[in-house]
């Protein structure tokens, strides 16, 4: 019989024979069980730790070691591996649903959360403010995270809220709206309290998303801002007006004074000039008074009479003078 | 042969089952109490790992070793100053004595309900004995902040013109009283009130946090009203201050304007007056040297200036100028 002459039925028969030889009876059953155990054990002795994870290994329930990312062995059945994402920064939102990753989304997305109530808080002056904020955290020690507290994420949520309220409660509502160093104080305080529980959590940051007056009160707060704006505007207008008028007035005043000064100088110079001229002439006159008198008189008359176009000489003994019409005046009359 | 093998098998199975009943694992973060016929025996096992007990007779109850949470339902309490508030507390606790716990409250759930009873009472007790502000504020830091702000405003005042409206915005409204105890201390008081009775139940109370304090809705509306009217009052005051400041500046503008104009006028008149007097002095000094000559000189000059070209002039024949002409005329 050749190989190719074996039929599927022949193989089946061979397998059955093999099976019956090894796996029949009590010995066979034990062998089967052993095989199964070895197989399962084999599968259970490898595990992979992702780059953002760390793995905590328990030996018969007792903590044995923490393994970094990579491929690792464990003793099957006896050792148990729990993986935790330690490199990821998780986020919890307060007053709103954060879009970030939560370590425990069941709590973050729980419909038992009362979002509106999360945001409203009392301020130090017993007013009310609305604050939304985000806390970012990381697992710093997976062992502590797993085995020190039963509900670490709930703790983070509870403490964050209590802390933020405490920080806000020490400030006035105006301070809160302005956001003065609230986040930093909240972060430090939250970390301090969580450290008390030795939770293996590191708070990465606390960020205030919004800090505003509550809805019913918002319009009145805006009113204050609007009033401040109006007031500033009114004052600016008045100042602009001042700056427009006063410098101009000053300029005009300066101009008037300069002009007056100019005129004054001119007046004095004119007077001085006249005086000097008079003095000079007077000196000459003093040297030859009657000659000078006559000369001045004749010069003046010459200039005057040469200027006049219309001169009439009338005898002194004539009484009553009629206006005498010259050719010019006749011409003038005719043209009218 | 067959009979002997199955006999061996049965023994093997019995051994396995017994072993399984005798060994148990306590995980990290858990503790175990061994019960014999329902009653706890021995001390709780707090070490994690593989342990043994008596098979079949004894059973194991696993309990939490970790820090647990208690979350109270928000309750309404009146404060000492009669303000009705809703208080939402949470607490962290641990099973310190598992045996006691099992004896007294049966299990974790029983513990939780006792926690509720005891903590609610303690919270009510503490809250009603203090004013609201003690539950809200932790310290009197707020006064320091106010003082610092006031100092900053004083400084700005000295350095430059300070908008009075800015000061108004800094004004503190609402009630600022001193706190003597504070939020932290109040939480601690609640713990100290509840701790001992919880210890009796094997519970260690680690802390109580006032997670949320809020006005009861009936009170909330009033508070909002107060906030609104406060802000409106500030807004009104700012506006009127603004108008006042504006009017002041306009008034100053008018005043300064007039002042500048009148001073300039005065100055101009002064200058011109001085110049006039100086001029007069110069002339008087010069002309005064010889009044007669001055009369002749000045009159002749005036003739030159006074008469225009087209003046029609009639001279008398006995004018001095025509003296020589007359001579000829005879």
């Amino acid at each position: 019989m050749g190989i190719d002459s074996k039929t599927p039925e022949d193989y089946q028969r061979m397998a059955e024979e093999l099976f019956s030889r090894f796996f029949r009876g009590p010995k066979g059953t034990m062998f089967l069980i052993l095989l199964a155990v070895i197989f399962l054990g084999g599968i259970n002795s490898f595990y992979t730790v992702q780059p953002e994870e760390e793995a905590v290994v328990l030996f018969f329930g007792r903590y044995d070691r923490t393994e970094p990312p990579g491929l690792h062995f464990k003793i099957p059945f006896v050792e148990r591996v729990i993986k935790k994402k330690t490199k990821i920064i998780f986020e919890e939102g307060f007053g709103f649903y954060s879009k970030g990753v939560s370590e425990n989304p069941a709590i973050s997305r729980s419909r038992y959360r009362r979002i509106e109530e999360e945001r409203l808080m009392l301020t130090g002056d017993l007013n009310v403010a609305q604050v939304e904020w985000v806390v970012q955290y990381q697992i710093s020690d997976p062992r502590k995270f797993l085995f020190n507290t039963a509900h670490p994420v709930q703790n983070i949520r509870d403490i964050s809220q209590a802390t933020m309220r405490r920080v806000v409660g020490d400030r006035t509502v105006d301070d809160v709206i302005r956001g003065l160093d609230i986040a930093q104080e909240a972060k430090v305080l939250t970390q301090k309290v969580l450290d008390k529980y030795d939770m293996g959590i590191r708070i990465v940051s606390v960020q205030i998303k919004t800090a505003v007056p509550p809805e019913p009160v918002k319009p009145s707060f805006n009113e204050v801002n609007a009033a401040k704006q109006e007031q500033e505007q009114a004052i600016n207008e008045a100042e602009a007006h001042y700056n427009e008028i006063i410098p101009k007035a000053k300029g005009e005043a300066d101009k008037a004074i300069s002009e007056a000064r100019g005129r004054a100088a001119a007046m004095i110079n004119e007077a001085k000039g006249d005086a000097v001229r008079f003095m000079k002439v007077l000196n000459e006159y003093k040297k030859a008074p009657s000659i000078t008198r006559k000369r001045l008189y004749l010069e003046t008359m010459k200039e005057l009479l040469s200027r006049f176009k219309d001169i009439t000489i009338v005898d002194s003994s004539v009484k009553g003078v009629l206006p005498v019409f010259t050719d010019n005046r006749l011409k003038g009359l005719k043209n009218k | 042969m067959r009979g002997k093998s199955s006999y061996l098998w049965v023994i093997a199975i019995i051994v396995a089952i017994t072993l399984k009943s005798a060994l148990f694992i306590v995980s990290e973060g858990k503790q175990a109490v061994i019960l014999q016929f329902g009653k706890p025996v021995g001390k709780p096992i707090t070490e994690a790992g593989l342990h043994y007990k008596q098979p079949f007779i004894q059973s194991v109850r696993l309990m939490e070793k970790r820090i647990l949470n208690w979350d109270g339902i928000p309750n309404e309490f009146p404060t000492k100053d009669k303000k009705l508030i809703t208080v939402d507390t949470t607490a962290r606790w641990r099973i310190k004595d598992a045996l006691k716990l099992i004896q007294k409250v049966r299990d974790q759930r029983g513990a939780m309900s006792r926690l509720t009873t005891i903590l609610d009472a303690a919270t009510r007790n503490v809250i009603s004995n203090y004013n609201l502000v003690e539950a809200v504020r932790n310290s009197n830091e707020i006064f320091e902040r106010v003082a610092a702000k006031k100092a900053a405003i004083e400084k700005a005042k000295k350095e430059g013109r300070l908008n009075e409206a800015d000061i108004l915005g800094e004004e503190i409204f609402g009630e600022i009283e001193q706190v003597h105890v504070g939020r932290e201390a109040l939480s601690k008081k609640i713990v100290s009130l509840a701790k001992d009775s919880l210890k009796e139940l094997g519970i260690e109370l680690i802390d109580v946090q006032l997670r949320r304090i809020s006005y009861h809705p009936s009170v909330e509306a009033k508070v909002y009203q107060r906030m609104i009217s406060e802000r409106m009052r500030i807004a009104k005051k700012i506006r009127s201050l603004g108008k006042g400041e504006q009017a002041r500046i306009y008034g100053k503008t008018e005043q300064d304007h007039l002042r500048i104009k009148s001073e300039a006028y005065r100055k101009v008149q002064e200058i011109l007056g001085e110049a006039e007097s100086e001029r007069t002095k110069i002339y008087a000094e010069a002309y005064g040297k010889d009044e007669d000559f001055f009369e002749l000189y000045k009159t002749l000059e005036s003739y030159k200036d006074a008469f225009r070209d087209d003046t029609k002039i009639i001279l008398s024949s006995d004018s001095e100028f025509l003296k020589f002409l007359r001579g000829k005329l005879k």
Side-chain angles (χ1 to χ4, degrees), chain A residues 60-61 63 117 126-127 146 148 150 155 158 166 169 174 197 230-231 242 274 297 307 312 314 316, chain B residues 28 49 66-67 69 92 137 163 165 184 207 211-212 215 226 239 256 283 304 309 313 315 317 321:
Chain A
F60 280 124
Y63 171 80
E117 290 177 14
L126 301 184
N127 285 324
L146 285 167
N148 283 4
N155 281 339
D158 289 345
R166 187 176 126 173
D174 291 297
Y197 312 139
E230 283 175 30
Q231 172 237 33
Y242 183 91
D274 285 350
Y297 173 74
R307 243 197 264 159
T312 311
V314 172
S316 57
Chain B
E28 281 288 346
R66 300 182 292 183
I67 295 178
N69 288 45
R92 266 135 290 280
R137 297 226 314 270
N163 201 340
E184 248 334 79
D207 72 8
R211 183 173 52 194
R212 234 192 124 225
Y215 286 114
R226 182 194 71 203
R239 284 206 167 95
D256 284 359
Y283 279 143
K304 281 195 229 170
D309 287 3
I313 186 159
L315 286 174
S317 61
F321 185 61

Side-chain angles (χ1 to χ4, degrees), chain A residues 177-306:
Chain A
I177 292 170
R178 241 169 305 194
L180 297 173
D181 53 61
I182 292 181
Q184 187 54 29
E185 197 177 316
K187 174 179 171 207
V188 169
L189 200 55
T190 307
Q191 184 74 65
K192 201 165 103 173
V193 177
L194 290 176
D195 285 347
K196 234 179 25 173
Y197 312 139
D198 206 14
M199 261 170 52
I201 282 281
R202 183 175 77 89
I203 301 289
V204 172
S205 78
V206 173
Q207 285 159 9
I208 307 267
K209 190 165 155 269
T210 60
V212 293
E215 286 303 327
V217 173
K218 256 192 194 149
S220 62
F221 272 73
N222 289 339
E223 197 62 23
V224 171
N225 288 337
K228 276 196 187 155
Q229 287 241 23
E230 283 175 30
Q231 172 237 33
E232 221 176 283
Q233 204 188 17
I235 292 183
N236 284 344
E237 262 177 40
E239 285 187 344
H241 176 77
Y242 183 91
N243 286 334
E244 196 193 306
I245 300 241
I246 298 300
K248 200 161 89 174
K250 279 211 178 109
E252 280 172 6
D254 287 343
K255 191 167 108 179
I257 293 179
S258 297
E259 273 178 10
R261 289 220 167 94
R263 267 174 58 195
M267 268 202 277
I268 293 179
N269 284 337
E270 197 188 317
K272 281 199 179 144
D274 285 350
V276 165
R277 191 164 141 229
F278 178 77
M279 291 306 287
K280 290 224 160 99
V281 173
L282 181 63
N283 278 340
E284 294 310 310
Y285 167 78
K286 282 221 162 85
K287 291 181 191 162
S290 68
I291 292 180
T292 310
R293 285 186 92 93
K294 286 210 170 102
R295 181 178 60 82
L296 285 177
Y297 173 74
L298 289 171
E299 275 173 4
T300 305
M301 291 311 285
K302 177 183 162 211
E303 196 190 311
L304 271 181
L305 293 177
S306 69

Side-chain angles (χ1 to χ4, degrees), chain B residues 96-303:
Chain B
K96 198 65 188 213
D97 189 335
L99 286 176
K100 262 200 197 149
L101 193 108
I102 292 183
Q103 283 164 6
K104 300 275 173 66
V105 294
R106 297 256 304 273
D107 54 15
Q108 208 168 296
R109 237 187 30 193
M112 289 288 256
S113 90
R114 296 290 233 126
L115 274 161
T116 303
T117 316
I118 293 174
L119 286 176
D120 269 357
T123 308
R124 177 181 295 274
N125 191 319
V126 169
I127 294 288
S128 61
N129 272 319
Y130 291 95
N131 289 336
L132 173 60
V133 72
E134 301 281 0
V136 172
R137 297 226 314 270
N138 194 49
S139 64
N140 287 315
E141 262 176 60
I142 206 169
F143 286 107
E144 291 165 28
R145 267 185 252 277
V146 170
K149 226 184 278 182
K150 282 211 170 98
I153 289 175
E154 286 304 308
K155 187 155 164 272
K157 245 192 203 151
K158 287 202 184 94
E159 284 172 4
R161 193 181 73 81
L162 180 71
N163 201 340
E164 215 186 307
D166 279 343
I167 305 177
L168 265 186
E170 307 294 315
E171 219 174 300
I172 306 297
F173 298 98
E175 305 133 49
I176 310 274
E177 347 164 359
Q178 291 265 352
V179 292
H180 307 286
V181 184
R183 201 181 178 118
E184 248 334 79
L186 246 62
S187 302
K188 292 207 168 81
K189 269 198 202 291
I190 298 176
V191 171
S192 68
L193 272 181
K195 212 157 73 155
D196 291 333
S197 27
L198 288 171
K199 197 156 169 215
E200 291 299 306
L201 309 174
I203 295 174
E204 180 196 351
L205 184 61
I206 298 173
D207 72 8
V208 170
Q209 295 283 344
L210 298 170
R211 183 173 52 194
R212 234 192 124 225
I213 293 189
S214 58
Y215 286 114
H216 190 259
S218 65
V219 182
E220 198 174 64
K222 263 187 252 157
V223 174
Y224 285 163
Q225 203 46 52
R226 182 194 71 203
M227 286 174 81
I228 291 177
S229 62
E230 275 170 5
R231 298 294 132 176
M232 294 310 258
R233 185 170 69 82
I234 306 181
K236 203 159 152 205
K237 198 159 174 198
I238 291 178
R239 284 206 167 95
S240 84
L241 267 183
K243 289 240 156 61
E245 182 71 4
Q246 187 189 41
R248 186 185 72 80
I249 296 179
Y250 275 124
K252 185 158 180 289
T253 307
E254 266 309 304
Q255 194 184 41
D256 284 359
H257 189 193
L258 271 172
R259 182 174 54 80
I260 291 171
K261 258 171 89 170
S262 61
E263 269 181 19
Y265 178 79
R266 182 185 62 77
K267 192 81 183 158
V268 162
Q269 296 309 308
E270 202 180 294
I271 292 170
L272 289 178
E274 262 181 45
E276 277 281 1
S277 79
E278 181 76 12
R279 186 162 166 264
T280 307
K281 199 171 93 183
I282 293 171
Y283 279 143
E285 220 183 284
Y287 294 164
K289 292 256 165 43
D290 189 332
E291 256 187 80
D292 284 334
F293 179 64
F294 160 67
E295 193 186 350
L296 167 71
Y297 178 76
K298 205 60 181 152
T299 311
L300 289 179
E301 292 288 310
S302 313
Y303 286 163

